[in-house]
């Protein structure tokens, strides 16, 4: 009926109930579009609308809003959106000037491209961090290598490496959380074994372990001058992986040196790949421990693979968790191994692998 009043646009009238927060009552509001712009004409139009409301409903409306064309909210099919009009009225958003078409188009385009913009921002942030990480690494690597080559004592080399590894982790906001550190702070011979997930595993362990260790590395690294000098100055031991006779000799040699000052550290998987998961553990570390009757200390690394995967030169931000298990003494397994060295090595491997699998956060690929 209001739409039939002269001056009111037909099909552009909404009668709504709006909540009055002051009196906690419902207000009767008529919203109508008109082309009238003269104040006296608009006031006369309000009186006619109010009079018609009184005639039809027996009560006057609490408010009459006259809006310019296309201001009343509608669906795409042209139906009045009364709930949206009521919400807009209560929030004071009705009656404002219509936004230009180019502004409305801009909002539509922005809404459509916002997900792509978020992805682009994340990619740009990740690329910036990767460049920053490599700059920091190459600023620290040369002086670290030179100091390792020149320092006369292995203990001094290890102390220097620990400082530099922790500095690198700090500059890259690499959060390293260690549990069970006291298990690795042993004052007697031992063998530490860990899963291998990333290029940065060695750096992380140098920063986190409570005491120096002697890493066991593949003999192929001896071919490169830089790696050979650096690892040798760290006190690393090298083993042959492909020559069976040389590999057996290396195993006997490692068994003999397990009683030296620093414990041996093995990455028992032997290598790592891009694919997450714990692979079978090689027996060399466990045979050395069983033959020497020294405990095995399992170490589980979690998070390094996601920071720098195999085959990738794109480091990412992330947190690293290191879970160091209780020492596993071969003597405690005597009841099930009956003094057999091979059975003791298998039992040590199974116990250590169980701890690593429980804490590495990756599936079992054995």
């Amino acid at each position: 009926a209001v739409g039939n009043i002269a001056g009111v646009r037909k099909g552009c009238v909404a009668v709504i109930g709006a909540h009055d927060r002051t009196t906690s009552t419902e207000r009767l509001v008529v919203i109508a579009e008109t082309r009238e712009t003269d104040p006296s004409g608009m006031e006369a139009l309000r009186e006619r609308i109010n009079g018609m409301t009184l005639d039809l409903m027996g009560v006057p409306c609490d408010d009459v809003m006259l809006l310019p064309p296309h201001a009343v909210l509608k669906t795409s099919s042209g139906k009045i959106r009364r709930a949206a009009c009521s919400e807009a009225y209560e929030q004071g958003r009705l009656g404002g000037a219509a936004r230009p078409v180019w502004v409305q188009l801009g909002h539509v385009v922005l809404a459509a491209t916002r997900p792509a913009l978020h992805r682009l921002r994340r990619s740009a942030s990740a690329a910036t961090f990767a460049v920053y990480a490599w700059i920091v690494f190459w600023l620290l690597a040369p002086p670290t290598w030179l100091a390792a080559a020149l320092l006369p004592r292995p203990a001094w080399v290890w102390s220097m490496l620990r400082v530099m590894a922790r500095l690198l982790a700090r500059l890259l906001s690499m959060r390293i959380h260690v549990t069970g550190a006291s298990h690795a702070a042993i004052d007697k011979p031992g063998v530490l074994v860990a899963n291998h997930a990333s290029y940065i595993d060695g750096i992380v362990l140098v920063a986190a372990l409570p005491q120096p260790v002697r890493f066991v590395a593949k003999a192929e690294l001896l071919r490169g001058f830089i790696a050979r000098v650096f690892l040798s100055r760290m006190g690393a031991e090298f083993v042959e992986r492909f020559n069976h006779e040389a590999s057996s000799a290396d195993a006997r040699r490692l068994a003999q040196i397990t009683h030296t000052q620093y414990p041996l550290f093995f990455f028992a998987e032997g290598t790592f790949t891009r694919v997450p998961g714990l692979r079978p553990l090689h027996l060399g570390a466990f045979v050395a421990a069983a033959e020497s009757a020294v405990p095995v200390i399992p170490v589980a690394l979690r998070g390094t693979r996601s920071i720098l995967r195999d085959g990738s030169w794109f480091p990412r931000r992330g947190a690293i968790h290191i879970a160091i298990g209780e020492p596993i003494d071969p003597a405690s397994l005597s009841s099930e191994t009956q003094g057999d060295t091979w059975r003791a090595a298998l039992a040590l491997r199974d116990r250590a692998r169980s701890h690593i699998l429980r804490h590495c956060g990756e599936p079992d690929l054995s």
Side-chain angles (χ1 to χ4, degrees), residues 317-362:
R317 297 181 179 88
I320 298 169
H321 299 266
I322 302 175
I324 304 175
E326 295 183 3
I328 308 169
D329 195 334
S332 66
L333 307 175
S334 57
S335 60
E336 57 182 279
T337 62
Q338 300 178 352
D340 184 275
T341 301
W342 181 252
R343 293 176 64 181
L346 293 176
L348 289 170
R349 180 200 61 184
D350 294 342
R351 297 282 183 89
R353 194 174 191 279
S354 176
H355 169 86
I356 295 172
L357 183 61
R358 191 164 58 252
H359 294 281
C360 71
E362 297 186 346

Side-chain angles (χ1 to χ4, degrees), residues 124-350:
S125 176
T128 301
F129 175 79
V131 172
Y132 165 75
W134 282 116
I135 291 174
V136 171
F137 175 80
W138 286 113
L139 286 175
L140 295 180
T144 300
W145 185 90
L146 187 61
L150 297 179
L151 287 173
R153 297 183 181 179
W156 295 1
V157 173
W158 185 270
S159 297
M160 179 274 301
L161 291 176
R162 177 180 290 154
V163 170
M164 299 303 283
R166 291 178 176 176
L167 176 60
L168 178 65
R170 186 178 184 85
L171 291 174
L172 299 184
S173 300
M174 191 185 299
R175 303 179 303 280
I176 304 176
H177 307 279
V178 182
T179 58
S182 59
H183 297 151
I186 55 176
D187 56 359
K188 60 182 180 180
V191 172
L192 288 88
V193 294
N195 56 311
H196 204 2
S198 172
Y199 301 106
I200 66 172
D201 288 346
I203 298 174
V204 169
L205 289 166
V206 169
L209 288 175
Q211 71 172 36
V213 297
R214 303 180 70 175
F215 286 104
V216 178
K218 56 187 179 182
E220 298 97 286
L221 293 174
L222 289 170
R223 300 170 188 166
F225 172 75
I226 294 177
R228 181 176 71 249
V229 171
F230 183 74
L231 293 173
S232 298
R233 296 298 297 158
M234 285 183 65
E237 297 291 337
F238 298 90
V239 295
E240 179 59 56
R241 296 192 298 170
F242 304 110
N243 186 305
H244 179 70
E245 184 176 346
S247 180
S248 299
D250 288 335
R252 291 191 295 271
R253 176 173 56 84
L254 292 178
Q256 295 173 358
I257 65 174
T258 53
H259 291 277
T260 55
Q261 181 181 5
Y262 298 141
L264 294 174
F265 195 106
F266 291 78
F267 288 110
E269 289 178 285
T271 188
F272 61 93
T273 65
R274 292 181 58 87
V275 181
L278 181 64
R279 287 156 185 77
L281 304 185
H282 296 297
L283 281 170
F286 308 102
V287 171
E291 290 183 351
S292 305
V294 299
V296 170
I297 304 171
V299 179
L301 291 167
R302 177 159 59 94
T304 56
R305 197 189 310 269
S306 61
I307 292 177
L308 189 61
R309 294 179 179 272
D310 177 40
S312 171
W313 299 102
F314 200 88
R316 302 176 183 275
R317 297 181 179 88
I320 298 169
H321 299 266
I322 302 175
I324 304 175
E326 295 183 3
I328 308 169
D329 195 334
S332 66
L333 307 175
S334 57
S335 60
E336 57 182 279
T337 62
Q338 300 178 352
D340 184 275
T341 301
W342 181 252
R343 293 176 64 181
L346 293 176
L348 289 170
R349 180 200 61 184
D350 294 342

Side-chain angles (χ1 to χ4, degrees), residues 15 21 37 50 62 71 78-80 88 115 126 130 147 232 237 246 282 307 310 314:
V15 179
R21 297 181 180 178
T37 57
N50 206 19
D62 296 292
K79 296 180 180 179
I80 301 295
S232 298
E237 297 291 337
H282 296 297
I307 292 177
D310 177 40
F314 200 88

